[in-house]
Amino acid sequence: MTGNDPVYLRVVEELRAQIVDGTLPPGAPIPSRAQLTQRFRVGETAARHALRVLAAEGLIIGKVGSGHYVREKSVLYPLQRCRYVDHDAPFAADMQAGGHRATWDWRSETIKAMRDVARRLRLEEGDPVTRTRYVFRTEGKPMQLATSYEPADLGRGQSFPEEGTNGRKSLVARMSAVGIKITDIRESVHTRVPQPTESDLLDLPTGVHILHVERTHWSGDRPVETSDIVVPGDRFRLVYSVPLGA
Amino acid sequence: MTGNDPVYLRVVEELRAQIVDGTLPPGAPIPSRAQLTQRFRVGETAARHALRVLAAEGLIIGKVGSGHYVREKSVLYPLQRCRYVDHDAPFAADMQAGGHRATWDWRSETIKAMRDVARRLRLEEGDPVTRTRYVFRTEGKPMQLATSYEPADLGRGQSFPEEGTNGRKSLVARMSAVGIKITDIRESVHTRVPQPTESDLLDLPTGVHILHVERTHWSGDRPVETSDIVVPGDRFRLVYSVPLGA
DNA sequence: GACGACGACTTGGAGTCCCAACTTTACCAA
DNA sequence: TTGGTAAAGTTGGGACTCCAAGTCGTCGTC
């Protein structure tokens, strides 16, 4: 039966249908709360709730004092504003691509490994590791957080600015100086709700999820560096490109 | 000033802090609406809104008739229940790994390419493509949606069941039969709110985002297959493993 | 001890009203 | 024509209320 489901869903479904079939094109104004209550013969709560749901789905945006509007397609499925992974160098990042210049802050320190980091680096909990925290900015806006961990005995004595945005070149160079050759990289990607510090640092509006990448550099079967990379989910695409050797 | 931001945020922030620092452990009951109004001296609207925000963030779940509870960690930061990409075969999927047996439904048909698909396959809008839709299930529960597009002239005459879960082997075999060698794979990962059909098919609770993978198989500079892969963001990790050839 | 009924409590849907802050438009004066 | 202002409309936060449906513990009966 469709007769007894919530009335606000009726509003949501009708508006959503009109948006996806193009009756309400991008940029078009959505009927206001007052108009919806009249048109659908529902209370203000239902109208309001319907608008909130559609906004949460990313189909419309509310402009205070003006109204709700159908979101532009470009915002809905954004193009990659930052190319994250390059073609010639898989898993390297190049934030200059796309015409945007990136800047970043970073700070290194030596700490005791937490359980999670110890597991990922195959160390014991409490072993010393070098932690480097980065905040990457594009056009001044924070765009990516990264926290990198290396076993402290792999001699990142003095911490120096990274060359590539992700410091892969720098890492490879530093490692090869200690006789370690990085053989492969493993990444694990998932999405979750930002923690308060993250939404603070990345200046995230409510409702935006983040992409969390756990990246580990391996030398044979020995992990030599692991990092947590956090980017806003709505503005970012991770791009992987890998040749099929077989 | 923090004095003049919405009161419901005060409630949200305090509860969230208690959840992330463990004062309210997973499974713990959240104060009810009535209790929150008393404790924080706010109206029911604010209390209710705060609970809705926390539920949307995936930190708590509401059980009607019982109360709100802190979500279990396993749901919050799940371990990989399905290994998505294998080590020996990068970008191949093996859903058997992890002790779970996967089943899937699929259906093929020939349609006219929409703009997006045409762009990805370097075709003209309206050119014929073979679309195959999959629903993958683990333990009976839908776990992954995939929609695959191939140019119709690449001769998927009779559509036959895939061997691997993602049909990469099958695809490679089929392509090599037509003299096409797949040279590399490019993937683009982002996260977004599920569309109604998606949350329906995947049986998603509200507030759960999805991971959307656009995967394209290339033969040289010619795209031969592209697919959209949609998985629940809270239960899935994408695992990439690639050797560094250089 | 087992079982069932009942009442207290909780969520989620829905309605109504009020207000501050903001946008848009229309109109009037210089 | 231009500039400024006032009015009307809109969003977002908030308070209060009512109700249906569901959970859960208590208490009395068998």
Side-chain angles (χ1 to χ4, degrees):
Chain A
M1 310 289 177
T2 55
N4 59 346
D5 49 56
V7 287
Y8 82 88
L9 272 186
R10 232 182 56 223
V11 184
V12 167
E13 274 158 19
E14 177 152 338
L15 290 176
R16 183 159 50 205
Q18 292 186 11
I19 292 169
V20 300
D21 77 11
T23 309
L24 288 168
I30 299 289
S32 72
R33 252 158 46 184
Q35 288 172 309
L36 287 177
T37 54
Q38 285 199 339
R39 283 248 263 274
F40 289 87
R41 299 313 207 84
V42 297
E44 213 192 286
T45 314
R48 190 187 281 228
H49 194 45
L51 291 171
R52 213 169 347 93
V53 168
L54 289 170
E57 286 180 6
L59 288 171
I60 65 176
I61 42 166
K63 290 196 202 303
V64 43
S66 170
H68 283 93
Y69 301 89
V70 179
R71 260 199 169 180
E72 302 292 333
K73 265 270 169 49
S74 60
V75 178
L76 244 182
Y77 297 160
L79 295 175
Q80 58 201 83
R81 284 185 54 184
C82 296
R83 289 189 63 118
Y84 184 64
V85 165
D86 231 13
H87 292 232
D88 51 7
F91 295 86
D94 181 5
M95 293 178 93
Q96 264 94 348
H100 301 288
R101 194 136 208 116
T103 59
W104 57 91
D105 301 330
W106 56 278
R107 184 159 54 207
S108 269
E109 59 198 312
T110 298
I111 59 164
K112 289 175 197 285
M114 303 86 89
R115 198 168 71 230
D116 186 50
V117 172
R119 181 181 53 76
R120 280 156 64 181
L121 287 177
R122 301 227 180 126
L123 301 174
E124 293 299 315
E125 202 173 336
D127 283 354
V129 292
T130 306
R131 177 177 68 189
T132 311
R133 284 205 244 229
Y134 300 87
V135 179
F136 296 98
R137 279 171 240 272
T138 311
E139 299 165 333
K141 287 179 190 297
M143 265 300 190
Q144 179 181 333
L145 305 177
T147 310
S148 164
Y149 301 89
E150 300 174 27
D153 60 337
L154 285 184
R156 183 179 183 127
Q158 83 294 26
S159 36
F160 53 93
E162 306 292 330
E163 294 169 40
T165 314
N166 274 304
R168 195 178 67 88
K169 284 179 192 167
S170 154
L171 176 71
V172 168
R174 221 167 53 247
M175 285 301 166
S176 71
V178 211
I180 290 175
K181 185 169 181 294
I182 293 176
T183 55
D184 63 325
I185 301 173
R186 284 180 212 155
E187 301 205 354
S188 152
V189 182
H190 73 139
T191 178
R192 58 175 171 83
V193 171
Q195 288 165 0
T197 51
E198 291 166 341
S199 58
D200 219 47
L201 281 166
L202 291 173
D203 197 24
L204 295 178
T206 57
V208 171
H209 279 44
I210 51 125
L211 283 170
H212 181 158
V213 182
E214 277 181 35
R215 174 186 294 172
T216 304
H217 288 80
W218 294 73
S219 177
D221 55 354
R222 178 190 182 193
V224 295
E225 188 262 2
T226 189
S227 48
D228 289 292
I229 299 159
V230 173
V231 294
D234 63 337
R235 283 176 281 177
F236 243 91
R237 279 165 187 264
L238 304 178
V239 178
Y240 291 94
S241 170
V242 166
L244 264 185
Chain B
M1 309 287 177
T2 55
N4 60 347
D5 50 55
V7 288
Y8 83 88
L9 271 186
R10 230 181 57 222
V11 184
V12 167
E13 274 158 19
E14 178 151 339
L15 290 177
R16 183 160 50 205
Q18 290 186 14
I19 292 170
V20 300
D21 78 11
T23 310
L24 288 169
I30 299 289
S32 73
R33 252 157 46 183
Q35 289 172 308
L36 288 177
T37 54
Q38 285 199 339
R39 283 249 262 275
F40 288 88
R41 299 314 208 83
V42 297
E44 219 193 282
T45 313
R48 187 186 284 230
H49 194 44
L51 291 172
R52 209 167 352 94
V53 167
L54 289 169
E57 287 181 5
L59 289 170
I60 64 176
I61 42 167
K63 291 195 202 301
V64 44
S66 171
H68 282 95
Y69 301 88
V70 180
R71 265 199 166 178
E72 301 293 333
K73 260 273 169 47
S74 61
V75 178
L76 246 182
Y77 296 162
L79 294 176
Q80 60 201 80
R81 286 184 51 184
C82 297
R83 289 191 62 120
Y84 184 63
V85 165
D86 232 13
H87 290 234
D88 53 4
F91 295 88
D94 182 5
M95 293 179 91
Q96 264 94 348
H100 301 289
R101 192 136 209 114
T103 59
W104 57 92
D105 301 330
W106 54 280
R107 184 159 53 208
S108 269
E109 59 196 313
T110 299
I111 59 163
K112 289 174 196 283
M114 303 88 89
R115 199 169 69 230
D116 187 50
V117 173
R119 181 181 54 74
R120 280 156 65 181
L121 288 177
R122 299 225 182 130
L123 300 174
E124 294 298 314
E125 203 172 334
D127 282 355
V129 292
T130 306
R131 177 177 68 190
T132 311
R133 287 203 243 226
Y134 301 86
V135 179
F136 296 99
R137 278 170 241 271
T138 310
E139 298 166 334
K141 287 180 190 294
M143 264 301 191
Q144 179 181 334
L145 305 178
T147 311
S148 163
Y149 301 90
E150 298 174 27
D153 60 336
L154 284 184
R156 183 179 183 127
Q158 82 293 26
S159 35
F160 54 93
E162 307 292 331
E163 297 169 37
T165 313
N166 275 305
R168 195 178 70 86
K169 283 178 194 166
S170 154
L171 176 71
V172 169
R174 221 169 51 247
M175 286 299 165
S176 72
V178 212
I180 290 174
K181 184 171 184 290
I182 292 175
T183 55
D184 63 325
I185 302 173
R186 286 181 210 155
E187 300 205 356
S188 153
V189 182
H190 75 137
T191 178
R192 58 176 172 82
V193 172
Q195 287 166 0
T197 51
E198 292 167 341
S199 58
D200 218 48
L201 281 167
L202 290 173
D203 198 24
L204 296 178
T206 55
V208 171
H209 279 43
I210 52 126
L211 283 170
H212 180 158
V213 182
E214 275 180 35
R215 174 186 295 172
T216 305
H217 288 79
W218 295 74
S219 175
D221 55 356
R222 179 190 181 193
V224 294
E225 188 261 2
T226 190
S227 49
D228 289 291
I229 300 157
V230 173
V231 294
D234 63 338
R235 281 175 284 177
F236 244 91
R237 279 167 188 264
L238 304 179
V239 179
Y240 292 95
S241 169
V242 166
L244 264 185

